Amino acid sequence: MHINLKTNFLAVVLLCFALVAQAQQKKEVTLEDIYQKGTFSAKSVYGVNWMNDGRYYSSQVADEKNGVNDIVRYDVTTGQPVNTIIEGEDLKPEGSDKPIKFDSYTFSSDEKKVLFGTEKEQLYRRSSKAEFYVYDIASKKLTKLSNGGKQLYATFSPDAKRVAFAREGNMFFVDLSNMKETQITNTGKFNSIINGYADWVYEEEFSFAQGFHWSPDGSKIAFYTFDETKVPEFNMQMWGELYPQDNKFKYPKAGEANSIVTVSVYNVGNGQTVKMDTGNETDIYIPRIKWTNDSNLLSIQKMNRLQNTLELLHANATTGKANVVLKETDKAYIDITDDLTYLKDGKHFIHSSEQDGFNHLYMHNMNGKLVRQITKGNWEVSNFIGFDEKNDKLYFMSTEVSPMERHLFSISSKGKNKKRLTTEAGTYSVNMSKDYKYYLAYHTAANTPLTVSLHTAKDGKLVKVLEDNQKLRNTLAQYDIAKQEFFTMKTPDGTQLNGWMIKPTDFDPKKKYPVLMFVYGGPGSQTVNNSWGGANYLWYQVLANKGAIVVSVDNRGTGARGAEFKKVTYANLGKYEIEDQIEAAKWLGNQSYVDKNRIGIWGHSYGGYMTLLGLTKGNGVFRAGISVAPVTNWRYYDTIYTERYLKTPQENASGYDDNSPLFFADKLQGELLLIHGTGDDNVHFQNAVEMQDALISANKQFESFFYPNRNHGVGGGITSLHRFTMMTDFLERNLINPTTASQNQ
């Protein structure tokens, strides 16, 4: 046999080249990957509950064999499962051979019972109702909490003897020794009186839905009552039936009547209810109530309607008499947090304030006298985690490393021995154990998906990585992924703004590229963070593969850079924000690799509002824009959010109208795609209708699309794939590869 070595060698070389080329050939991210197939889904560590013994925590674990979730105990020191506390198969109600599928679980304080929520029904953003069951771990008995209908916010008392809940505007509790149900209030009435949970606007803007709290010893329940009688009603039609259904709910638009809010305390022992004295003025807000460590002393935070004065009241739970112990005022507004913490010594409390220009922690005695400022510096405490009094360590998240990052620090109550505990660049959130010995760290960074790790709290030492998303990282490595890079720019007045940019992977600095700017821009927000960008980041990969650069810039008014930078927009929402975005677009247009005639802008909610301002006030700097679920006039939005930043329309009409895109529709330049969900209970479809009417009256051509019954997120099912397919097509036609001159230039 004759062997041609030369020919065979050439074949081997060609094969090697082919294999290398194949290895280097990376896939392009598709919209189906992102919004349908879940190709880039990240894993996390969910449902973690720290146990009383700080060495253990529990978590939900799927039992794939039986199709249920078990509750498993883990050893903190190893991160390994120790035993199964509750078998999902055992969660069978009396008379049923099928276990419940629970949405949530909570241990009683003695860890002998567990409260399971099932058949969860979402109401608004933070509110839901469910059927709750009480499970006795020793007897393995599962008992339905109530037969009167689904419950809201079922909660064990601290002494583990009772469970309180709300239903249809009233408050109840169940005695677990005999399952006897007691009704606490009887004034509840649909769209009129609510006891024990928040009205729509409190839930949305003060970020809480449960409106009751057990006292530390379980003897009393403090609860809110919302009298919505005078609040105007919003009517939202829901489509799908032969005759569309009306969804009516109380929604106070800027300048309109709010609920009259009161706080009462119910005494379980004698069945008496006492109303707390919060003063004669009723046009106020009570954004927080919280028990001190004294079961007869309730703290109440009270604000005036303009939200520039905050009073901390201490109320006697037996008599209702209250005293103001702390008062704070601001020339603009005061943000509400959950940082208020009462110390176990019963003599002090800690709270956060922006009074020195940055959000920091302060210690006061129980009479409100300042003991000391604990943290200081030109950076923000973004979240107070808690105080380990035994070891005199406060734990908090801050922006000290960078406004674009969040890190965990510890410090003594005297403001000494400050220590950074998180080490990697990026953004952290933490879940601290009850005894402050361990914490779970959830970390991401730009271009880097989630890692969940276990650490010792005193020094931040790594115990174990619980989830590194290696599968997702391997998947990402197979795709053509462009890196997110950070930059800074200065506006003409010298203000430095932070931004990020994603360029195509085959970027050529000699070419001219179209740019899409992503904006949110609202008060205290940020889009420029050193964190994993999720679905949007992956959509930007689709656009980058089509030849676009994607950019985001945080304008004045955004967060993490101090009160002055954030509050400059007070009483004039939209003015400085859009000025900065326009200047950012001009700055980009001056870069050698940017086609200044192909700069676009898009945003959702506040970002949708900003997009409309860019197209109407930008004097042609933006060629195209996509506005999703925008506010188009702040008169249409709710009282708490809007008046916090603009005062009322009666006091500041120009602040509402001078930057409403409704009044500048005739100045529209560039192509517009306007998207809204008709079932948006937050930013009502009314905003889009009014904008369209204004544009039609100005004889401006534009594209629009409504999503029937979809809420503010404009998602659900196949909706996101549909929406982003449409948005991508719009950008290809009007920004990336435009074939004709803009019809509105």
Side-chain angles (χ1 to χ4, degrees):
M1 181 183 291
H2 174 72
I3 299 176
N4 188 331
L5 296 177
K6 184 176 180 180
T7 301
N8 280 359
F9 175 74
L10 181 60
V12 170
V13 170
L14 290 173
L15 178 61
C16 288
F17 274 120
L19 290 172
V20 171
Q22 185 179 0
Q24 292 176 339
Q25 185 69 38
K26 296 205 172 184
K27 301 183 229 178
E28 289 190 1
V29 177
T30 69
L31 297 175
E32 288 75 16
D33 283 326
I34 306 168
Y35 302 109
Q36 188 175 37
K37 298 178 182 177
T39 303
F40 305 104
S41 296
K43 291 184 178 180
S44 186
V45 178
Y46 299 108
V48 170
N49 278 306
W50 293 99
M51 309 297 287
N52 291 340
D53 182 336
R55 186 176 172 180
Y56 302 100
Y57 67 89
S58 69
S59 184
Q60 298 180 47
V61 177
D63 182 342
E64 296 180 1
K65 180 181 178 182
N66 296 313
V68 295
N69 282 350
D70 299 333
I71 305 297
V72 178
R73 188 196 316 266
Y74 287 82
D75 188 322
V76 170
T77 61
T78 64
Q80 295 297 318
V82 176
N83 67 302
T84 299
I85 304 173
I86 300 171
E87 296 278 359
E89 276 289 294
D90 292 337
L91 299 177
K92 296 175 182 176
E94 189 174 343
S96 173
D97 59 354
K98 292 183 178 180
I100 63 170
K101 293 185 177 181
F102 59 91
D103 302 301
S104 62
Y105 74 99
T106 308
F107 281 94
S108 60
S109 58
D110 58 10
E111 296 182 347
K112 294 180 179 180
K113 295 182 176 64
V114 180
L115 194 61
F116 288 101
T118 184
E119 299 176 38
K120 180 179 177 181
E121 184 179 333
Q122 198 69 32
L123 301 175
Y124 296 112
R125 190 192 297 262
R126 296 175 178 85
S127 55
S128 62
K129 57 183 178 179
E131 292 289 1
F132 284 89
Y133 291 82
V134 180
Y135 182 75
D136 186 286
I137 294 176
S139 67
K140 295 186 177 183
K141 184 179 180 181
L142 185 72
T143 306
K144 194 173 185 180
L145 180 64
S146 173
N147 290 312
K150 289 185 176 181
Q151 306 93 50
L152 291 83
Y153 321 118
T155 305
F156 280 117
S157 60
D159 59 8
K161 293 180 179 179
R162 303 172 184 89
V163 172
F165 63 88
R167 180 175 56 220
E168 296 179 355
N170 283 310
M171 283 287 303
F172 304 79
F173 75 87
V174 171
D175 187 326
L176 297 181
S177 65
N178 54 19
M179 298 307 292
K180 179 184 176 183
E181 182 173 307
T182 300
Q183 185 166 342
I184 296 172
T185 67
N186 57 17
T187 58
K189 186 178 180 182
F190 177 70
N191 271 3
S192 182
I193 304 292
I194 304 171
N195 295 288
Y197 55 98
D199 67 358
W200 187 96
V201 72
Y202 265 63
E203 175 182 333
E204 177 66 26
E205 306 301 357
F206 285 141
S207 304
F208 75 89
Q210 179 173 331
F212 67 87
H213 303 278
W214 285 100
S215 64
D217 64 0
S219 66
K220 302 179 183 73
I221 304 173
F223 64 93
Y224 281 90
T225 297
F226 291 83
D227 183 345
E228 297 186 295
T229 306
K230 295 182 180 180
V231 179
E233 195 172 66
F234 189 79
N235 184 22
M236 189 169 66
Q237 284 195 307
M238 304 303 289
W239 307 88
E241 301 296 328
L242 182 61
Y243 290 89
Q245 301 298 303
D246 285 340
N247 179 14
K248 295 181 179 180
F249 59 100
K250 297 286 189 169
Y251 185 107
K253 291 181 185 283
E256 299 297 316
N258 278 313
S259 292
I260 295 174
V261 183
T262 56
V263 176
S264 301
V265 173
Y266 174 82
N267 189 310
V268 175
N270 60 24
Q272 298 296 309
T273 299
V274 178
K275 182 180 173 183
M276 301 296 103
D277 182 8
T278 55
N280 295 324
E281 176 60 61
T282 59
D283 195 12
I284 59 169
Y285 295 116
I286 303 177
R288 293 289 186 273
I289 61 173
K290 183 172 186 171
W291 286 99
T292 67
N293 288 310
D294 177 349
S295 287
N296 200 46
L297 192 64
L298 180 71
S299 75
I300 301 171
Q301 294 184 48
K302 170 185 167 183
M303 298 186 86
N304 63 331
R305 174 120 182 197
L306 290 183
Q307 299 170 71
N308 55 18
T309 300
L310 172 68
E311 293 180 332
L312 177 63
L313 282 61
H314 283 171
N316 183 302
T318 301
T319 66
K321 184 180 179 180
N323 298 309
V324 176
V325 298
L326 187 67
K327 184 175 182 178
E328 184 177 341
T329 60
D330 191 282
K331 62 182 180 181
Y333 56 87
I334 297 171
D335 284 318
I336 292 298
T337 72
D338 291 308
D339 295 340
L340 179 63
T341 302
Y342 288 90
L343 306 193
K344 293 177 182 176
D345 65 8
K347 299 177 180 179
H348 300 91
F349 64 85
I350 293 169
H351 83 118
S352 62
S353 170
E354 290 181 315
Q355 61 191 265
D356 78 345
F358 292 85
N359 194 56
H360 282 296
L361 299 174
Y362 296 79
M363 180 180 286
H364 294 256
N365 67 22
M366 289 297 284
N367 293 320
K369 183 180 178 180
L370 177 65
V371 176
R372 71 180 63 90
Q373 182 175 349
I374 300 171
T375 61
K376 297 178 182 179
N378 294 340
W379 45 270
E380 305 260 309
V381 171
S382 57
N383 186 22
F384 178 39
I385 304 299
F387 183 25
D388 177 4
E389 296 184 50
K390 181 179 179 182
N391 295 297
D392 190 32
K393 280 191 177 183
L394 288 86
Y395 293 93
F396 62 94
M397 309 300 296
S398 96
T399 65
E400 184 174 359
V401 174
S402 165
M404 298 184 294
E405 301 195 357
R406 299 292 185 273
H407 288 275
L408 176 65
F409 285 78
S410 64
I411 196 170
S412 76
S413 61
K414 291 182 171 57
K416 306 292 184 182
N417 305 317
K418 179 160 65 72
K419 183 177 182 179
R420 176 180 165 185
L421 298 170
T422 48
T423 57
E424 299 294 322
T427 299
Y428 284 87
S429 63
V430 303
N431 182 351
M432 186 76 67
S433 66
K434 297 176 183 178
D435 58 4
Y436 296 100
K437 289 183 179 178
Y438 299 93
Y439 64 86
L440 293 178
Y442 295 76
H443 171 260
T444 73
N447 313 302
T448 307
L450 179 69
T451 295
V452 185
S453 52
L454 181 66
H455 300 256
T456 49
K458 64 179 181 180
D459 51 15
K461 183 179 178 182
L462 176 67
V463 176
K464 183 180 178 63
V465 174
L466 303 179
E467 178 58 66
D468 62 5
N469 272 300
Q470 191 57 51
K471 181 180 178 182
L472 173 55
R473 293 166 196 258
N474 293 341
T475 299
L476 288 166
Q478 299 170 25
Y479 283 78
D480 191 20
I481 301 291
K483 297 296 183 183
Q484 182 179 359
E485 304 167 347
F486 294 99
F487 68 91
T488 59
M489 57 155 288
K490 284 190 176 180
T491 61
D493 68 358
T495 303
Q496 181 171 296
L497 303 178
N498 296 323
W500 57 251
M501 181 181 297
I502 295 174
K503 300 173 183 174
T505 53
D506 61 353
F507 175 75
D508 181 350
K510 296 179 182 178
K511 290 184 177 180
K512 295 277 190 180
Y513 291 87
V515 170
L516 176 66
M517 294 177 64
F518 166 58
V519 62
Y520 185 78
S525 67
Q526 280 181 279
T527 57
V528 183
N529 294 299
N530 188 5
S531 62
W532 174 245
N536 275 3
Y537 168 79
L538 293 162
W539 180 50
Y540 300 146
Q541 302 301 322
V542 174
L543 300 180
N545 279 325
K546 293 180 182 296
I549 294 174
V550 185
V551 173
S552 191
V553 174
D554 273 338
N555 48 253
R556 282 173 291 176
T558 55
R561 295 181 60 180
E564 184 178 352
F565 187 86
K566 179 176 68 174
K567 295 179 180 179
V568 68
T569 63
Y570 180 64
N572 218 351
L573 279 191
K575 174 179 167 56
Y576 297 106
E577 300 98 305
I578 199 57
E579 286 179 4
D580 287 353
Q581 293 297 327
I582 291 169
E583 290 301 330
K586 291 178 178 177
W587 180 87
L588 288 163
N590 288 329
Q591 306 308 303
S592 61
Y593 50 84
V594 171
D595 181 350
K596 67 179 182 180
N597 295 314
R598 287 191 293 159
I599 297 177
I601 185 170
W602 96 277
H604 192 137
S605 193
Y606 202 102
Y609 162 68
M610 291 285 286
T611 296
L612 292 174
L613 285 182
L615 291 176
T616 55
K617 288 200 161 193
N619 198 28
V621 71
F622 298 108
R623 183 187 182 100
I626 302 173
S627 174
V628 184
V631 172
T632 59
N633 188 318
W634 288 107
R635 294 173 186 270
Y636 299 147
Y637 202 52
D638 72 59
T639 49
I640 294 177
Y641 182 94
T642 311
E643 295 172 12
R644 180 186 303 155
Y645 307 121
L646 276 177
K647 305 181 185 179
T648 65
Q650 294 88 339
E651 295 170 286
N652 183 26
S654 62
Y656 281 76
D657 300 337
D658 288 353
N659 290 288
S660 165
L662 291 183
F663 301 119
F664 301 93
D666 61 328
K667 299 185 183 302
L668 178 74
Q669 294 188 56
E671 302 300 318
L672 167 64
L673 173 59
L674 178 58
I675 298 171
H676 217 117
T678 69
D680 191 337
D681 63 284
N682 185 357
V683 179
H684 302 146
F685 185 51
Q686 173 188 19
N687 286 272
V689 170
E690 295 296 334
M691 189 70 212
Q692 292 197 24
D693 194 38
L695 290 167
I696 293 165
S697 297
N699 196 27
K700 291 291 183 178
Q701 295 297 314
F702 61 98
E703 297 179 35
S704 67
F705 198 93
F706 65 86
Y707 281 91
N709 302 337
R710 303 317 194 271
N711 63 17
H712 191 52
V714 199
I718 204 75
T719 303
S720 292
L721 176 60
H722 185 279
R723 177 159 67 91
F724 280 90
T725 299
M726 176 173 56
M727 290 165 62
T728 304
D729 174 67
F730 174 85
L731 293 171
E732 284 195 275
R733 288 186 287 110
N734 295 292
L735 187 70
I736 300 173
N737 297 303
T739 54
T740 59
S742 171
Q743 58 195 2
N744 288 315
Q745 292 290 349

